[in-house]
PDB file of all heavy atoms in Angstrom:
ATOM      1  N   ALA A   1       0.742  -1.214  -0.061  1.00 94.00           N
ATOM      2  CA  ALA A   1      -0.020   0.042  -0.002  1.00 94.00           C
ATOM      3  C   ALA A   1       0.839   1.239  -0.017  1.00 94.00           C
ATOM      4  O   ALA A   1       0.362   2.357  -0.289  1.00 94.00           O
ATOM      5  CB  ALA A   1      -0.954   0.017   1.169  1.00 94.00           C
ATOM      6  N   GLY A   2       2.151   1.139   0.304  1.00 94.00           N
ATOM      7  CA  GLY A   2       2.933   2.314   0.384  1.00 94.00           C
ATOM      8  C   GLY A   2       3.092   2.936   1.711  1.00 94.00           C
ATOM      9  O   GLY A   2       3.632   4.038   1.852  1.00 94.00           O
ATOM     10  N   LEU A   3       2.557   2.287   2.802  1.00 94.00           N
ATOM     11  CA  LEU A   3       2.620   2.858   4.100  1.00 94.00           C
ATOM     12  C   LEU A   3       3.918   2.534   4.796  1.00 94.00           C
ATOM     13  O   LEU A   3       4.279   3.196   5.778  1.00 94.00           O
ATOM     14  CB  LEU A   3       1.475   2.325   4.969  1.00 94.00           C
ATOM     15  CG  LEU A   3      -0.004   2.600   4.399  1.00 94.00           C
ATOM     16  CD1 LEU A   3      -1.030   1.887   5.155  1.00 94.00           C
ATOM     17  CD2 LEU A   3      -0.157   4.065   4.234  1.00 94.00           C
ATOM     18  N   LEU A   4       4.646   1.504   4.300  1.00 95.00           N
ATOM     19  CA  LEU A   4       5.947   1.169   4.759  1.00 95.00           C
ATOM     20  C   LEU A   4       6.916   1.059   3.619  1.00 95.00           C
ATOM     21  O   LEU A   4       6.587   0.581   2.603  1.00 95.00           O
ATOM     22  CB  LEU A   4       5.908  -0.224   5.458  1.00 95.00           C
ATOM     23  CG  LEU A   4       5.704  -0.274   6.969  1.00 95.00           C
ATOM     24  CD1 LEU A   4       5.721  -1.787   7.436  1.00 95.00           C
ATOM     25  CD2 LEU A   4       6.625   0.443   7.786  1.00 95.00           C
ATOM     26  N   CYS A   5       8.174   1.536   3.775  1.00 96.00           N
ATOM     27  CA  CYS A   5       9.088   1.481   2.679  1.00 96.00           C
ATOM     28  C   CYS A   5       9.944   0.228   2.823  1.00 96.00           C
ATOM     29  O   CYS A   5      10.658   0.015   3.830  1.00 96.00           O
ATOM     30  CB  CYS A   5      10.001   2.801   2.773  1.00 96.00           C
ATOM     31  SG  CYS A   5      11.242   2.799   1.418  1.00 96.00           S
ATOM     32  N   PRO A   6       9.956  -0.647   1.917  1.00 96.00           N
ATOM     33  CA  PRO A   6      10.770  -1.868   1.881  1.00 96.00           C
ATOM     34  C   PRO A   6      12.274  -1.529   1.935  1.00 96.00           C
ATOM     35  O   PRO A   6      12.647  -0.490   1.482  1.00 96.00           O
ATOM     36  CB  PRO A   6      10.425  -2.658   0.617  1.00 96.00           C
ATOM     37  CG  PRO A   6       9.071  -1.997   0.230  1.00 96.00           C
ATOM     38  CD  PRO A   6       9.104  -0.623   0.675  1.00 96.00           C
ATOM     39  N   ASP A   7      13.041  -2.463   2.479  1.00 96.00           N
ATOM     40  CA  ASP A   7      14.534  -2.283   2.412  1.00 96.00           C
ATOM     41  C   ASP A   7      15.078  -2.724   1.040  1.00 96.00           C
ATOM     42  O   ASP A   7      16.163  -2.244   0.653  1.00 96.00           O
ATOM     43  CB  ASP A   7      15.162  -3.183   3.457  1.00 96.00           C
ATOM     44  CG  ASP A   7      14.706  -2.665   4.934  1.00 96.00           C
ATOM     45  OD1 ASP A   7      14.501  -1.397   5.074  1.00 96.00           O
ATOM     46  OD2 ASP A   7      14.672  -3.432   5.842  1.00 96.00           O
ATOM     47  N   ALA A   8      14.314  -3.617   0.387  1.00 95.00           N
ATOM     48  CA  ALA A   8      14.822  -4.154  -0.865  1.00 95.00           C
ATOM     49  C   ALA A   8      13.655  -4.777  -1.562  1.00 95.00           C
ATOM     50  O   ALA A   8      12.692  -5.132  -0.973  1.00 95.00           O
ATOM     51  CB  ALA A   8      16.013  -5.203  -0.693  1.00 95.00           C
ATOM     52  N   GLY A   9      13.741  -4.901  -2.894  1.00 96.00           N
ATOM     53  CA  GLY A   9      12.764  -5.601  -3.714  1.00 96.00           C
ATOM     54  C   GLY A   9      11.959  -4.582  -4.619  1.00 96.00           C
ATOM     55  O   GLY A   9      12.213  -3.471  -4.643  1.00 96.00           O
ATOM     56  N   ASN A  10      11.102  -5.226  -5.373  1.00 96.00           N
ATOM     57  CA  ASN A  10      10.260  -4.458  -6.283  1.00 96.00           C
ATOM     58  C   ASN A  10       8.804  -4.834  -6.128  1.00 96.00           C
ATOM     59  O   ASN A  10       8.421  -5.966  -5.867  1.00 96.00           O
ATOM     60  CB  ASN A  10      10.629  -4.766  -7.765  1.00 96.00           C
ATOM     61  CG  ASN A  10      12.065  -4.426  -8.091  1.00 96.00           C
ATOM     62  OD1 ASN A  10      12.607  -3.388  -7.696  1.00 96.00           O
ATOM     63  ND2 ASN A  10      12.724  -5.280  -8.809  1.00 96.00           N
ATOM     64  N   ILE A  11       7.866  -3.837  -6.344  1.00 97.00           N
ATOM     65  CA  ILE A  11       6.421  -4.005  -6.290  1.00 97.00           C
ATOM     66  C   ILE A  11       5.888  -3.450  -7.511  1.00 97.00           C
ATOM     67  O   ILE A  11       6.090  -2.322  -7.890  1.00 97.00           O
ATOM     68  CB  ILE A  11       5.808  -3.408  -5.092  1.00 97.00           C
ATOM     69  CG1 ILE A  11       6.447  -3.883  -3.718  1.00 97.00           C
ATOM     70  CG2 ILE A  11       4.295  -3.634  -5.028  1.00 97.00           C
ATOM     71  CD1 ILE A  11       5.949  -3.109  -2.519  1.00 97.00           C
ATOM     72  N   TYR A  12       5.021  -4.279  -8.188  1.00 96.00           N
ATOM     73  CA  TYR A  12       4.274  -3.768  -9.424  1.00 96.00           C
ATOM     74  C   TYR A  12       2.825  -4.018  -9.154  1.00 96.00           C
ATOM     75  O   TYR A  12       2.373  -4.981  -8.592  1.00 96.00           O
ATOM     76  CB  TYR A  12       4.719  -4.708 -10.659  1.00 96.00           C
ATOM     77  CG  TYR A  12       6.122  -4.572 -11.063  1.00 96.00           C
ATOM     78  CD1 TYR A  12       7.088  -5.467 -10.491  1.00 96.00           C
ATOM     79  CD2 TYR A  12       6.612  -3.735 -11.998  1.00 96.00           C
ATOM     80  CE1 TYR A  12       8.427  -5.471 -10.806  1.00 96.00           C
ATOM     81  CE2 TYR A  12       7.986  -3.767 -12.418  1.00 96.00           C
ATOM     82  CZ  TYR A  12       8.860  -4.571 -11.748  1.00 96.00           C
ATOM     83  OH  TYR A  12      10.160  -4.587 -12.065  1.00 96.00           O
ATOM     84  N   ILE A  13       2.096  -3.029  -9.684  1.00 94.00           N
ATOM     85  CA  ILE A  13       0.577  -3.076  -9.680  1.00 94.00           C
ATOM     86  C   ILE A  13       0.094  -2.728 -10.987  1.00 94.00           C
ATOM     87  O   ILE A  13       0.383  -1.645 -11.592  1.00 94.00           O
ATOM     88  CB  ILE A  13      -0.057  -2.085  -8.563  1.00 94.00           C
ATOM     89  CG1 ILE A  13       0.473  -2.481  -7.208  1.00 94.00           C
ATOM     90  CG2 ILE A  13      -1.539  -2.063  -8.644  1.00 94.00           C
ATOM     91  CD1 ILE A  13       0.006  -1.552  -6.007  1.00 94.00           C
ATOM     92  N   ASP A  14      -0.569  -3.673 -11.585  1.00 90.00           N
ATOM     93  CA  ASP A  14      -1.099  -3.447 -12.972  1.00 90.00           C
ATOM     94  C   ASP A  14       0.014  -3.167 -13.960  1.00 90.00           C
ATOM     95  O   ASP A  14      -0.154  -2.281 -14.762  1.00 90.00           O
ATOM     96  CB  ASP A  14      -2.161  -2.374 -13.010  1.00 90.00           C
ATOM     97  CG  ASP A  14      -3.107  -2.561 -14.225  1.00 90.00           C
ATOM     98  OD1 ASP A  14      -3.113  -3.637 -14.873  1.00 90.00           O
ATOM     99  OD2 ASP A  14      -3.777  -1.546 -14.603  1.00 90.00           O
ATOM    100  N   ASN A  15       1.113  -3.900 -13.832  1.00 89.00           N
ATOM    101  CA  ASN A  15       2.325  -3.785 -14.635  1.00 89.00           C
ATOM    102  C   ASN A  15       3.090  -2.508 -14.491  1.00 89.00           C
ATOM    103  O   ASN A  15       4.053  -2.244 -15.244  1.00 89.00           O
ATOM    104  CB  ASN A  15       1.922  -4.009 -16.104  1.00 89.00           C
ATOM    105  CG  ASN A  15       1.394  -5.450 -16.428  1.00 89.00           C
ATOM    106  OD1 ASN A  15       1.950  -6.350 -15.872  1.00 89.00           O
ATOM    107  ND2 ASN A  15       0.396  -5.517 -17.254  1.00 89.00           N
ATOM    108  N   ASN A  16       2.652  -1.705 -13.571  1.00 92.00           N
ATOM    109  CA  ASN A  16       3.488  -0.516 -13.286  1.00 92.00           C
ATOM    110  C   ASN A  16       4.210  -0.619 -11.963  1.00 92.00           C
ATOM    111  O   ASN A  16       3.614  -1.017 -10.890  1.00 92.00           O
ATOM    112  CB  ASN A  16       2.431   0.672 -13.165  1.00 92.00           C
ATOM    113  CG  ASN A  16       1.665   0.980 -14.367  1.00 92.00           C
ATOM    114  OD1 ASN A  16       2.308   1.003 -15.515  1.00 92.00           O
ATOM    115  ND2 ASN A  16       0.386   1.116 -14.353  1.00 92.00           N
ATOM    116  N   MET A  17       5.448  -0.226 -11.950  1.00 95.00           N
ATOM    117  CA  MET A  17       6.298  -0.309 -10.796  1.00 95.00           C
ATOM    118  C   MET A  17       5.924   0.838  -9.840  1.00 95.00           C
ATOM    119  O   MET A  17       5.817   2.009 -10.208  1.00 95.00           O
ATOM    120  CB  MET A  17       7.787  -0.162 -11.142  1.00 95.00           C
ATOM    121  CG  MET A  17       8.673  -0.227  -9.937  1.00 95.00           C
ATOM    122  SD  MET A  17      10.486  -0.057 -10.263  1.00 95.00           S
ATOM    123  CE  MET A  17      10.825  -1.714 -10.800  1.00 95.00           C
ATOM    124  N   VAL A  18       5.489   0.408  -8.634  1.00 95.00           N
ATOM    125  CA  VAL A  18       5.137   1.425  -7.585  1.00 95.00           C
ATOM    126  C   VAL A  18       6.306   1.559  -6.530  1.00 95.00           C
ATOM    127  O   VAL A  18       6.287   2.496  -5.719  1.00 95.00           O
ATOM    128  CB  VAL A  18       3.827   1.066  -6.955  1.00 95.00           C
ATOM    129  CG1 VAL A  18       2.706   1.051  -7.929  1.00 95.00           C
ATOM    130  CG2 VAL A  18       3.918  -0.283  -6.186  1.00 95.00           C
ATOM    131  N   PHE A  19       7.111   0.576  -6.501  1.00 96.00           N
ATOM    132  CA  PHE A  19       8.277   0.576  -5.643  1.00 96.00           C
ATOM    133  C   PHE A  19       9.408  -0.238  -6.256  1.00 96.00           C
ATOM    134  O   PHE A  19       9.236  -1.344  -6.737  1.00 96.00           O
ATOM    135  CB  PHE A  19       8.025   0.091  -4.155  1.00 96.00           C
ATOM    136  CG  PHE A  19       9.324   0.161  -3.344  1.00 96.00           C
ATOM    137  CD1 PHE A  19       9.642   1.278  -2.694  1.00 96.00           C
ATOM    138  CD2 PHE A  19      10.158  -1.001  -3.289  1.00 96.00           C
ATOM    139  CE1 PHE A  19      10.870   1.334  -1.973  1.00 96.00           C
ATOM    140  CE2 PHE A  19      11.338  -0.881  -2.541  1.00 96.00           C
ATOM    141  CZ  PHE A  19      11.638   0.200  -1.822  1.00 96.00           C
ATOM    142  N   GLY A  20      10.689   0.413  -6.267  1.00 93.00           N
ATOM    143  CA  GLY A  20      11.790  -0.422  -6.720  1.00 93.00           C
ATOM    144  C   GLY A  20      12.755   0.434  -7.501  1.00 93.00           C
ATOM    145  O   GLY A  20      12.743   1.714  -7.365  1.00 93.00           O
ATOM    146  N   ALA A  21      13.613  -0.185  -8.239  1.00 88.00           N
ATOM    147  CA  ALA A  21      14.615   0.463  -9.015  1.00 88.00           C
ATOM    148  C   ALA A  21      14.489   0.118 -10.427  1.00 88.00           C
ATOM    149  O   ALA A  21      14.395  -0.965 -10.863  1.00 88.00           O
ATOM    150  CB  ALA A  21      15.973   0.146  -8.565  1.00 88.00           C
ATOM    151  N   ASN A  22      14.332   1.142 -11.291  1.00 82.00           N
ATOM    152  CA  ASN A  22      14.216   1.002 -12.729  1.00 82.00           C
ATOM    153  C   ASN A  22      15.489   1.594 -13.291  1.00 82.00           C
ATOM    154  O   ASN A  22      15.605   2.748 -13.587  1.00 82.00           O
ATOM    155  CB  ASN A  22      12.945   1.757 -13.302  1.00 82.00           C
ATOM    156  CG  ASN A  22      12.719   1.448 -14.797  1.00 82.00           C
ATOM    157  OD1 ASN A  22      13.558   0.675 -15.391  1.00 82.00           O
ATOM    158  ND2 ASN A  22      11.686   1.988 -15.279  1.00 82.00           N
ATOM    159  N   GLY A  23      16.437   0.696 -13.528  1.00 81.00           N
ATOM    160  CA  GLY A  23      17.812   1.234 -13.917  1.00 81.00           C
ATOM    161  C   GLY A  23      18.373   1.995 -12.720  1.00 81.00           C
ATOM    162  O   GLY A  23      18.506   1.477 -11.630  1.00 81.00           O
ATOM    163  N   THR A  24      18.760   3.224 -13.013  1.00 84.00           N
ATOM    164  CA  THR A  24      19.381   4.002 -11.903  1.00 84.00           C
ATOM    165  C   THR A  24      18.230   4.834 -11.160  1.00 84.00           C
ATOM    166  O   THR A  24      18.533   5.541 -10.161  1.00 84.00           O
ATOM    167  CB  THR A  24      20.395   4.987 -12.449  1.00 84.00           C
ATOM    168  OG1 THR A  24      19.793   5.834 -13.430  1.00 84.00           O
ATOM    169  CG2 THR A  24      21.634   4.306 -13.036  1.00 84.00           C
ATOM    170  N   LYS A  25      17.070   4.798 -11.674  1.00 89.00           N
ATOM    171  CA  LYS A  25      15.972   5.516 -11.140  1.00 89.00           C
ATOM    172  C   LYS A  25      15.209   4.790 -10.056  1.00 89.00           C
ATOM    173  O   LYS A  25      14.818   3.656 -10.236  1.00 89.00           O
ATOM    174  CB  LYS A  25      14.942   5.884 -12.235  1.00 89.00           C
ATOM    175  CG  LYS A  25      13.821   6.784 -11.680  1.00 89.00           C
ATOM    176  CD  LYS A  25      12.860   7.149 -12.899  1.00 89.00           C
ATOM    177  CE  LYS A  25      11.713   8.037 -12.369  1.00 89.00           C
ATOM    178  NZ  LYS A  25      10.748   8.299 -13.462  1.00 89.00           N
ATOM    179  N   LYS A  26      15.068   5.328  -8.836  1.00 92.00           N
ATOM    180  CA  LYS A  26      14.434   4.717  -7.698  1.00 92.00           C
ATOM    181  C   LYS A  26      12.960   5.217  -7.728  1.00 92.00           C
ATOM    182  O   LYS A  26      12.641   6.391  -7.877  1.00 92.00           O
ATOM    183  CB  LYS A  26      15.106   5.088  -6.356  1.00 92.00           C
ATOM    184  CG  LYS A  26      16.428   4.314  -6.265  1.00 92.00           C
ATOM    185  CD  LYS A  26      17.002   4.541  -4.915  1.00 92.00           C
ATOM    186  CE  LYS A  26      18.388   3.769  -4.759  1.00 92.00           C
ATOM    187  NZ  LYS A  26      18.966   3.920  -3.402  1.00 92.00           N
ATOM    188  N   ILE A  27      11.998   4.265  -7.544  1.00 94.00           N
ATOM    189  CA  ILE A  27      10.596   4.653  -7.570  1.00 94.00           C
ATOM    190  C   ILE A  27       9.927   4.190  -6.239  1.00 94.00           C
ATOM    191  O   ILE A  27      10.164   3.149  -5.703  1.00 94.00           O
ATOM    192  CB  ILE A  27       9.883   3.885  -8.729  1.00 94.00           C
ATOM    193  CG1 ILE A  27      10.483   4.370 -10.115  1.00 94.00           C
ATOM    194  CG2 ILE A  27       8.389   4.080  -8.692  1.00 94.00           C
ATOM    195  CD1 ILE A  27      10.006   3.576 -11.278  1.00 94.00           C
ATOM    196  N   ASN A  28       9.139   5.134  -5.687  1.00 95.00           N
ATOM    197  CA  ASN A  28       8.417   4.906  -4.512  1.00 95.00           C
ATOM    198  C   ASN A  28       7.124   5.786  -4.505  1.00 95.00           C
ATOM    199  O   ASN A  28       7.097   6.855  -3.916  1.00 95.00           O
ATOM    200  CB  ASN A  28       9.178   5.126  -3.200  1.00 95.00           C
ATOM    201  CG  ASN A  28       8.503   4.733  -2.002  1.00 95.00           C
ATOM    202  OD1 ASN A  28       7.397   3.990  -2.070  1.00 95.00           O
ATOM    203  ND2 ASN A  28       9.001   5.067  -0.783  1.00 95.00           N
ATOM    204  N   LEU A  29       6.101   5.224  -5.138  1.00 94.00           N
ATOM    205  CA  LEU A  29       4.865   6.064  -5.310  1.00 94.00           C
ATOM    206  C   LEU A  29       4.189   6.237  -3.957  1.00 94.00           C
ATOM    207  O   LEU A  29       4.117   5.328  -3.098  1.00 94.00           O
ATOM    208  CB  LEU A  29       3.877   5.318  -6.270  1.00 94.00           C
ATOM    209  CG  LEU A  29       4.305   5.191  -7.724  1.00 94.00           C
ATOM    210  CD1 LEU A  29       3.148   4.713  -8.615  1.00 94.00           C
ATOM    211  CD2 LEU A  29       4.791   6.626  -8.357  1.00 94.00           C
ATOM    212  N   LYS A  30       3.498   7.323  -3.766  1.00 92.00           N
ATOM    213  CA  LYS A  30       2.735   7.607  -2.578  1.00 92.00           C
ATOM    214  C   LYS A  30       1.564   6.692  -2.504  1.00 92.00           C
ATOM    215  O   LYS A  30       1.030   6.220  -3.647  1.00 92.00           O
ATOM    216  CB  LYS A  30       2.241   9.107  -2.535  1.00 92.00           C
ATOM    217  CG  LYS A  30       3.311  10.060  -2.579  1.00 92.00           C
ATOM    218  CD  LYS A  30       2.787  11.515  -2.633  1.00 92.00           C
ATOM    219  CE  LYS A  30       3.886  12.566  -2.659  1.00 92.00           C
ATOM    220  NZ  LYS A  30       3.291  14.005  -2.722  1.00 92.00           N
ATOM    221  N   PRO A  31       0.988   6.443  -1.324  1.00 90.00           N
ATOM    222  CA  PRO A  31      -0.181   5.577  -1.196  1.00 90.00           C
ATOM    223  C   PRO A  31      -1.332   6.053  -2.038  1.00 90.00           C
ATOM    224  O   PRO A  31      -1.899   5.193  -2.766  1.00 90.00           O
ATOM    225  CB  PRO A  31      -0.501   5.674   0.325  1.00 90.00           C
ATOM    226  CG  PRO A  31       0.764   5.927   0.963  1.00 90.00           C
ATOM    227  CD  PRO A  31       1.546   6.743  -0.021  1.00 90.00           C
ATOM    228  N   SER A  32      -1.539   7.321  -2.152  1.00 83.00           N
ATOM    229  CA  SER A  32      -2.697   7.858  -2.945  1.00 83.00           C
ATOM    230  C   SER A  32      -2.525   7.630  -4.410  1.00 83.00           C
ATOM    231  O   SER A  32      -3.433   7.676  -5.180  1.00 83.00           O
ATOM    232  CB  SER A  32      -2.821   9.336  -2.652  1.00 83.00           C
ATOM    233  OG  SER A  32      -1.610  10.070  -3.018  1.00 83.00           O
ATOM    234  N   GLU A  33      -1.234   7.443  -4.827  1.00 88.00           N
ATOM    235  CA  GLU A  33      -0.993   7.255  -6.312  1.00 88.00           C
ATOM    236  C   GLU A  33      -1.049   5.779  -6.696  1.00 88.00           C
ATOM    237  O   GLU A  33      -1.003   5.499  -7.895  1.00 88.00           O
ATOM    238  CB  GLU A  33       0.458   7.820  -6.564  1.00 88.00           C
ATOM    239  CG  GLU A  33       0.544   9.272  -6.375  1.00 88.00           C
ATOM    240  CD  GLU A  33       1.959   9.782  -6.561  1.00 88.00           C
ATOM    241  OE1 GLU A  33       2.921   8.961  -6.296  1.00 88.00           O
ATOM    242  OE2 GLU A  33       2.171  10.970  -7.011  1.00 88.00           O
ATOM    243  N   ARG A  34      -1.164   4.906  -5.733  1.00 88.00           N
ATOM    244  CA  ARG A  34      -1.220   3.429  -6.096  1.00 88.00           C
ATOM    245  C   ARG A  34      -2.680   2.965  -6.392  1.00 88.00           C
ATOM    246  O   ARG A  34      -2.771   1.855  -6.834  1.00 88.00           O
ATOM    247  CB  ARG A  34      -0.601   2.629  -4.925  1.00 88.00           C
ATOM    248  CG  ARG A  34       0.871   3.035  -4.677  1.00 88.00           C
ATOM    249  CD  ARG A  34       1.559   2.133  -3.768  1.00 88.00           C
ATOM    250  NE  ARG A  34       2.960   2.661  -3.418  1.00 88.00           N
ATOM    251  CZ  ARG A  34       3.891   1.985  -2.927  1.00 88.00           C
ATOM    252  NH1 ARG A  34       3.683   0.680  -2.560  1.00 88.00           N
ATOM    253  NH2 ARG A  34       5.124   2.487  -2.639  1.00 88.00           N
ATOM    254  N   LYS A  35      -3.622   3.717  -6.068  1.00 85.00           N
ATOM    255  CA  LYS A  35      -5.025   3.437  -6.353  1.00 85.00           C
ATOM    256  C   LYS A  35      -5.492   1.978  -5.817  1.00 85.00           C
ATOM    257  O   LYS A  35      -5.940   1.168  -6.525  1.00 85.00           O
ATOM    258  CB  LYS A  35      -5.301   3.418  -7.911  1.00 85.00           C
ATOM    259  CG  LYS A  35      -5.000   4.869  -8.503  1.00 85.00           C
ATOM    260  CD  LYS A  35      -5.183   4.855  -9.981  1.00 85.00           C
ATOM    261  CE  LYS A  35      -4.869   6.205 -10.512  1.00 85.00           C
ATOM    262  NZ  LYS A  35      -5.090   6.294 -12.077  1.00 85.00           N
ATOM    263  N   ILE A  36      -5.200   1.898  -4.483  1.00 90.00           N
ATOM    264  CA  ILE A  36      -5.468   0.613  -3.716  1.00 90.00           C
ATOM    265  C   ILE A  36      -6.532   0.988  -2.684  1.00 90.00           C
ATOM    266  O   ILE A  36      -6.442   1.935  -1.963  1.00 90.00           O
ATOM    267  CB  ILE A  36      -4.201   0.077  -3.077  1.00 90.00           C
ATOM    268  CG1 ILE A  36      -3.211  -0.438  -4.216  1.00 90.00           C
ATOM    269  CG2 ILE A  36      -4.486  -1.028  -2.174  1.00 90.00           C
ATOM    270  CD1 ILE A  36      -1.912  -0.889  -3.666  1.00 90.00           C
ATOM    271  N   GLY A  37      -7.453   0.073  -2.590  1.00 89.00           N
ATOM    272  CA  GLY A  37      -8.356   0.045  -1.423  1.00 89.00           C
ATOM    273  C   GLY A  37      -7.746  -0.693  -0.260  1.00 89.00           C
ATOM    274  O   GLY A  37      -7.105  -1.802  -0.486  1.00 89.00           O
ATOM    275  N   TYR A  38      -7.816  -0.212   1.035  1.00 89.00           N
ATOM    276  CA  TYR A  38      -7.210  -0.899   2.089  1.00 89.00           C
ATOM    277  C   TYR A  38      -8.100  -0.883   3.289  1.00 89.00           C
ATOM    278  O   TYR A  38      -8.536   0.182   3.758  1.00 89.00           O
ATOM    279  CB  TYR A  38      -5.874  -0.216   2.413  1.00 89.00           C
ATOM    280  CG  TYR A  38      -4.856  -1.031   3.325  1.00 89.00           C
ATOM    281  CD1 TYR A  38      -3.571  -0.528   3.445  1.00 89.00           C
ATOM    282  CD2 TYR A  38      -5.321  -2.119   4.021  1.00 89.00           C
ATOM    283  CE1 TYR A  38      -2.661  -1.236   4.292  1.00 89.00           C
ATOM    284  CE2 TYR A  38      -4.356  -2.824   4.824  1.00 89.00           C
ATOM    285  CZ  TYR A  38      -3.044  -2.321   4.943  1.00 89.00           C
ATOM    286  OH  TYR A  38      -2.254  -3.020   5.803  1.00 89.00           O
ATOM    287  N   VAL A  39      -8.395  -2.060   3.797  1.00 85.00           N
ATOM    288  CA  VAL A  39      -9.182  -2.106   5.056  1.00 85.00           C
ATOM    289  C   VAL A  39      -8.212  -2.643   6.163  1.00 85.00           C
ATOM    290  O   VAL A  39      -7.715  -3.760   6.065  1.00 85.00           O
ATOM    291  CB  VAL A  39     -10.357  -3.084   4.955  1.00 85.00           C
ATOM    292  CG1 VAL A  39     -11.086  -3.177   6.304  1.00 85.00           C
ATOM    293  CG2 VAL A  39     -11.291  -2.637   3.853  1.00 85.00           C
ATOM    294  N   PHE A  40      -8.014  -1.791   7.132  1.00 81.00           N
ATOM    295  CA  PHE A  40      -7.019  -2.155   8.215  1.00 81.00           C
ATOM    296  C   PHE A  40      -7.679  -3.041   9.197  1.00 81.00           C
ATOM    297  O   PHE A  40      -8.923  -3.178   9.296  1.00 81.00           O
ATOM    298  CB  PHE A  40      -6.544  -0.858   8.893  1.00 81.00           C
ATOM    299  CG  PHE A  40      -5.802   0.156   8.037  1.00 81.00           C
ATOM    300  CD1 PHE A  40      -6.475   1.055   7.284  1.00 81.00           C
ATOM    301  CD2 PHE A  40      -4.427   0.055   7.944  1.00 81.00           C
ATOM    302  CE1 PHE A  40      -5.794   1.909   6.483  1.00 81.00           C
ATOM    303  CE2 PHE A  40      -3.745   0.909   7.131  1.00 81.00           C
ATOM    304  CZ  PHE A  40      -4.383   1.869   6.387  1.00 81.00           C
ATOM    305  N   GLN A  41      -6.792  -3.691   9.996  1.00 72.00           N
ATOM    306  CA  GLN A  41      -7.216  -4.581  11.095  1.00 72.00           C
ATOM    307  C   GLN A  41      -8.075  -3.777  12.079  1.00 72.00           C
ATOM    308  O   GLN A  41      -9.071  -4.262  12.640  1.00 72.00           O
ATOM    309  CB  GLN A  41      -5.985  -5.227  11.761  1.00 72.00           C
ATOM    310  CG  GLN A  41      -6.371  -6.449  12.536  1.00 72.00           C
ATOM    311  CD  GLN A  41      -5.116  -7.274  12.828  1.00 72.00           C
ATOM    312  OE1 GLN A  41      -4.070  -6.919  12.589  1.00 72.00           O
ATOM    313  NE2 GLN A  41      -5.334  -8.395  13.502  1.00 72.00           N
ATOM    314  N   THR A  42      -7.620  -2.578  12.392  1.00 69.00           N
ATOM    315  CA  THR A  42      -8.398  -1.623  13.181  1.00 69.00           C
ATOM    316  C   THR A  42      -8.856  -0.555  12.224  1.00 69.00           C
ATOM    317  O   THR A  42      -8.146   0.000  11.486  1.00 69.00           O
ATOM    318  CB  THR A  42      -7.535  -0.955  14.255  1.00 69.00           C
ATOM    319  OG1 THR A  42      -6.414  -0.353  13.629  1.00 69.00           O
ATOM    320  CG2 THR A  42      -7.075  -2.026  15.231  1.00 69.00           C
ATOM    321  N   ASN A  43     -10.162  -0.277  12.292  1.00 67.00           N
ATOM    322  CA  ASN A  43     -10.769   0.666  11.292  1.00 67.00           C
ATOM    323  C   ASN A  43     -10.161   2.022  11.450  1.00 67.00           C
ATOM    324  O   ASN A  43      -9.756   2.434  12.491  1.00 67.00           O
ATOM    325  CB  ASN A  43     -12.291   0.705  11.447  1.00 67.00           C
ATOM    326  CG  ASN A  43     -12.784   1.508  12.610  1.00 67.00           C
ATOM    327  OD1 ASN A  43     -12.711   2.731  12.558  1.00 67.00           O
ATOM    328  ND2 ASN A  43     -13.152   0.890  13.706  1.00 67.00           N
TER     329      ASN A  43
END
């Protein structure tokens, strides 16, 4: 969801990288830019 920053690895949503490294470019989209619905354990 983008609420925690991984230490390593890549995340793709709908074939778009939302976190990771694309060549020398580092990508970390904001939660609002990932277009994800999220229901937390505590509302």
Side-chain angles (χ1 to χ4, degrees):
L3 303 176
L4 269 180
C5 183
D7 297 330
N10 301 317
I11 303 173
Y12 299 85
I13 296 175
D14 201 15
N15 294 321
N16 297 313
M17 180 179 280
V18 298
F19 177 86
N22 187 0
T24 58
K25 184 180 179 182
K26 292 186 177 180
I27 296 172
N28 187 10
L29 295 188
K30 297 177 182 178
S32 59
E33 297 174 329
R34 301 191 184 195
K35 298 179 181 179
I36 291 175
Y38 194 169
V39 177
F40 297 88
Q41 201 166 0
T42 55
N43 78 77

